[in-house]
Amino acid sequence: MQFSTHRPFSRYRGATASLALTALVAGACSSQNADPAPKADAAPPPGTACSEAAFASGDKDFFRDVSEKAGIQKGNFVAAPEKPIPINDHSRLAMVDIDGDGWDDAVMHSLFPNPMAGIPYENLVFRNKHDGTFEDISDASGLRGVQAGFFVFGDVDNDGDEDCFAGLDIDLTGQTNVLLLNDGQGHFTPRAGSGVEGIKYTANAVFGDFDGDGKVDLFLGNGQTSFAVKSSLLLGNGDGTFRDVSKDQLPGAPAQPVNGLVACDYDDDGDLDVFVATYGVSIKNGWNHLWENDGQGHFVNVAQDRGFHALATGNYYNAQTGKGRNPENVTADKIVGSNGFGIDCADITGDGLPDIWLATISHADGSDNSRLWSDPSQLLVNKGKDGGFAFENQFLDRGLPFNEGDIDAAIVDYDNDGRADLATTRTDKYESAFSNIEQKGYFGLFRQGADGQFQSVGLVSGINDTSAGATRGKAGQNLAWADIDHDGDADLLFGARDISGGRANMMFENTLGQKNTWLALQVRGDGKKIHTDAFGTKVTVRIGDRVVVREKKSSRGTYDSIDGSTLLFGLGDLGACKDAKNTASLDIRWPDGTVDHYGPEAFTLRSYLKARYGEKKLETIK
């Protein structure tokens, strides 16, 4: 089976080409039938031949609202105050294991901070209790009162727990960026003199070992929508302190507002590169950045060479631009980019190379030249080594709908069919100009079929409520995917936005993905050669001629959304063959290039596994 008909299937290229996985399951079902497959809730009895009909695809309501039951709405602002207060626009959030028990916890804004109007930031922290519910530990965590626009988590001192960088994106008297150390139990205290304090207007950040020394580093995207400033690169010293090397190792960084970041190895050379989504076509044409790493932590912006900086095609929805044709009489230096927001990086096409899902706001009215030519949301397919690792926008070709209000972007295989699906939150600010429900402010979820085309399923997923006067799923801001209950599929934490009078964040349980075959893997470094988070580790699973690749990431999106720390692998139609013999194998490529290979005797499918660098064994966990 190949995942896409847009280009021929190619085996996993680059450093891992000779280490591709082979996974054959006895009697595995054919997946050549049309998508979507008929719904089925159970596999056939033992001995029954496998069939496509036995693969659970789900037709509607495959997400269940568990927000109240889970307990993550405690402390959320929901009651309308006597005197209306100015509500902040964003709900920054993370799914991260702060207490080291292997289960992702939830960290989020409370939805009523606006320090510019005298209402301080307030952060809520909920510990996963392993039973589908969460315990409020906001006060005990030490994070509740930290004045920060967002958090990003990483083990900065290699002691085995998740520390916290708190970024501040506004001017706030007496407040700066701050680094907080974790005691291993989810309690955080500021680390004085960390070296992060002097940088202003930090709106996004990603951790990663960019120079390959076994210590976690920090890339800061500064500016947000209001300030045109340069991004920053800080190298870690391994003790919770950092040194700013931006001048020498991030040369020529343009001063632009940064609204989204993600780090991944786009050219498959074993190091982490950084994609930057900028905001504002009026500032340096709104061109995005792609910082290519030389493996030693020295970066060069190759966005224009790779076709990532701007599309030059205009707004797909506006007839004046020719529905995406190249503009005439526009020189390369005048091409308009985007009002960028969320961004994610993962293999969408099934060739083993990461592609890009970028959410933007592209105004459809064409009232001025910048609006007319600003780029809409994009699905950028990596053309690989033979194509110079350039990107080609296939948004329209793959059937995705235009929406003026796309905010956060995430790539997820929600149904565990082995193909990447797409998700986006949307503001409802612009929906009154449109009659089509796909242009409204509902949560967007797009299922990829066997032909590489995407089907919009958000409106029937159970996340949105489209009845008159309902708001569930509308006006979303940040989103995060994580397997909150360890049943093998991705659940959703939905960051709401105030719709006059307050609003709570939401959590949705995935009731579909666990019905199909899956594998879950947590990777950890040794804290010496490989930093303990092991960001940049690439894990590959191959099933016949299919390839499923996951890369360990720090964060992604706009204002730092953080998906769960466990790598989830959907194995598609193998869900119909629960009793089949496992003949699978898997490879883990660590950031230093070391590859660990595991045969079928090392694990079973439908298992939670943990791998540690240097141990060369898989531990089964729950």
Side-chain angles (χ1 to χ4, degrees), residues 444-599:
L445 184 64
F446 310 101
R447 180 178 187 260
Q448 184 178 183
D451 60 356
Q453 294 290 301
F454 287 90
Q455 175 190 8
S456 178
V457 297
L459 297 173
V460 298
S461 64
I463 298 170
N464 294 294
D465 184 348
T466 60
S467 60
T471 60
R472 191 181 74 222
K474 265 196 177 184
Q477 294 292 316
N478 293 64
L479 70 103
W481 296 97
D483 186 7
I484 64 172
D485 45 12
H486 281 205
D487 64 355
D489 58 22
D491 308 297
L492 174 66
L493 178 61
F494 177 96
R497 176 175 176 243
D498 177 67
I499 307 181
S500 71
R503 193 180 184 201
N505 291 309
M506 287 170 272
M507 181 170 281
F508 295 90
E509 178 190 0
N510 187 339
T511 64
L512 173 63
Q514 72 269 21
K515 298 174 183 176
N516 300 312
T517 299
W518 54 270
L519 194 65
L521 178 65
Q522 298 176 357
V523 293
R524 300 292 286 173
D526 64 350
K528 297 176 182 177
K529 289 186 177 180
I530 303 298
H531 62 289
T532 57
D533 288 299
F535 296 131
T537 299
K538 185 172 287 189
V539 183
T540 309
V541 173
R542 190 180 294 276
I543 305 170
D545 62 354
R546 292 179 296 174
V547 62
V548 182
V549 176
R550 298 289 181 262
E551 187 173 346
K552 179 68 180 294
K553 289 182 289 191
S554 160
S555 55
R556 54 113 193 112
T558 183
Y559 294 102
D560 271 48
S561 297
I562 302 178
D563 300 315
S565 55
T566 300
L567 303 177
L568 299 174
F569 297 83
L571 301 182
D573 54 5
L574 299 181
C577 312
K578 292 181 180 179
D579 296 325
K581 181 182 178 181
N582 173 28
T583 59
S585 60
L586 64 85
D587 287 344
I588 302 173
R589 188 181 80 182
W590 299 96
D592 68 348
T594 299
V595 177
D596 292 338
H597 174 80
Y598 298 96

Side-chain angles (χ1 to χ4, degrees), residues 156-157 178-181 189-197 239-241:
V156 302
D157 49 9
V178 63
L179 197 288
L180 301 106
L181 297 181
T189 55
R191 204 305 186 181
S194 66
V196 305
E197 299 86 355
D239 59 357
T241 65

Side-chain angles (χ1 to χ4, degrees), residues 152-166:
V152 62
F153 293 86
D155 187 2
V156 302
D157 49 9
N158 274 331
D159 64 353
D161 55 40
E162 296 301 299
D163 307 304
C164 177
F165 170 79

Side-chain angles (χ1 to χ4, degrees), residues 288-601:
N288 298 316
H289 315 153
L290 169 49
W291 293 101
E292 185 175 290
N293 191 350
D294 70 350
Q296 304 298 314
H298 297 88
F299 290 86
V300 59
N301 183 11
V302 297
Q304 191 167 359
D305 294 338
R306 304 294 183 263
F308 176 69
H309 69 306
L311 294 180
T313 51
N315 189 305
Y316 313 138
Y317 199 79
N318 194 313
Q320 296 178 66
T321 65
K323 293 295 184 181
R325 291 195 299 269
N326 288 332
E328 297 178 1
N329 303 318
V330 178
T331 59
D333 63 317
K334 300 296 183 182
I335 290 174
V336 175
S338 62
N339 302 307
F341 281 84
I343 185 170
D344 200 1
C345 180
D347 179 20
I348 294 172
T349 62
D351 67 350
L353 291 171
D355 309 296
I356 295 294
W357 173 228
L358 172 62
T360 78
I361 289 181
S362 180
H363 300 295
D365 56 18
S367 59
D368 59 43
N369 195 60
S370 292
R371 288 186 174 218
L372 179 64
W373 292 111
S374 64
D375 295 338
S377 295
Q378 300 152 44
L379 179 63
L380 299 169
V381 171
N382 191 331
K383 298 173 71 175
K385 183 178 181 180
D386 293 341
F389 294 105
F391 290 91
E392 177 182 81
N393 185 30
Q394 296 184 1
F395 186 97
L396 291 180
D397 293 341
R398 291 178 181 260
L400 291 164
F402 168 78
N403 192 292
E404 186 168 354
D406 291 343
I407 299 294
D408 205 5
I411 302 169
V412 60
D413 179 9
Y414 76 87
D415 58 354
N416 278 342
D417 69 351
R419 294 185 290 269
D421 310 306
L422 306 176
T424 183
T425 51
R426 294 159 166 166
T427 179
D428 61 348
K429 289 181 179 179
Y430 314 109
E431 66 172 22
S432 61
F434 303 92
S435 58
N436 189 326
I437 197 169
E438 290 290 351
Q439 276 81 54
K440 301 294 185 179
Y442 294 105
F443 182 88
L445 184 64
F446 310 101
R447 180 178 187 260
Q448 184 178 183
D451 60 356
Q453 294 290 301
F454 287 90
Q455 175 190 8
S456 178
V457 297
L459 297 173
V460 298
S461 64
I463 298 170
N464 294 294
D465 184 348
T466 60
S467 60
T471 60
R472 191 181 74 222
K474 265 196 177 184
Q477 294 292 316
N478 293 64
L479 70 103
W481 296 97
D483 186 7
I484 64 172
D485 45 12
H486 281 205
D487 64 355
D489 58 22
D491 308 297
L492 174 66
L493 178 61
F494 177 96
R497 176 175 176 243
D498 177 67
I499 307 181
S500 71
R503 193 180 184 201
N505 291 309
M506 287 170 272
M507 181 170 281
F508 295 90
E509 178 190 0
N510 187 339
T511 64
L512 173 63
Q514 72 269 21
K515 298 174 183 176
N516 300 312
T517 299
W518 54 270
L519 194 65
L521 178 65
Q522 298 176 357
V523 293
R524 300 292 286 173
D526 64 350
K528 297 176 182 177
K529 289 186 177 180
I530 303 298
H531 62 289
T532 57
D533 288 299
F535 296 131
T537 299
K538 185 172 287 189
V539 183
T540 309
V541 173
R542 190 180 294 276
I543 305 170
D545 62 354
R546 292 179 296 174
V547 62
V548 182
V549 176
R550 298 289 181 262
E551 187 173 346
K552 179 68 180 294
K553 289 182 289 191
S554 160
S555 55
R556 54 113 193 112
T558 183
Y559 294 102
D560 271 48
S561 297
I562 302 178
D563 300 315
S565 55
T566 300
L567 303 177
L568 299 174
F569 297 83
L571 301 182
D573 54 5
L574 299 181
C577 312
K578 292 181 180 179
D579 296 325
K581 181 182 178 181
N582 173 28
T583 59
S585 60
L586 64 85
D587 287 344
I588 302 173
R589 188 181 80 182
W590 299 96
D592 68 348
T594 299
V595 177
D596 292 338
H597 174 80
Y598 298 96
E601 72 285 351

Side-chain angles (χ1 to χ4, degrees), residues 206-268:
V206 288
F207 279 121
D209 182 7
F210 297 116
D211 60 356
D213 66 352
K215 302 167 186 175
V216 75
D217 308 310
L218 191 55
F219 190 105
L220 303 182
N222 304 314
Q224 46 108 326
T225 59
S226 303
F227 304 98
V229 293
K230 297 180 179 180
S231 295
S232 302
L233 177 64
L234 282 67
L235 297 185
N237 298 315
D239 59 357
T241 65
F242 294 84
R243 60 192 187 278
D244 190 340
V245 297
S246 306
K247 181 178 179 181
D248 296 326
Q249 295 184 220
L250 199 69
Q256 290 174 265
V258 173
N259 250 7
L261 284 181
V262 68
C264 64
D265 182 10
Y266 90 96
D267 52 1
D268 198 32

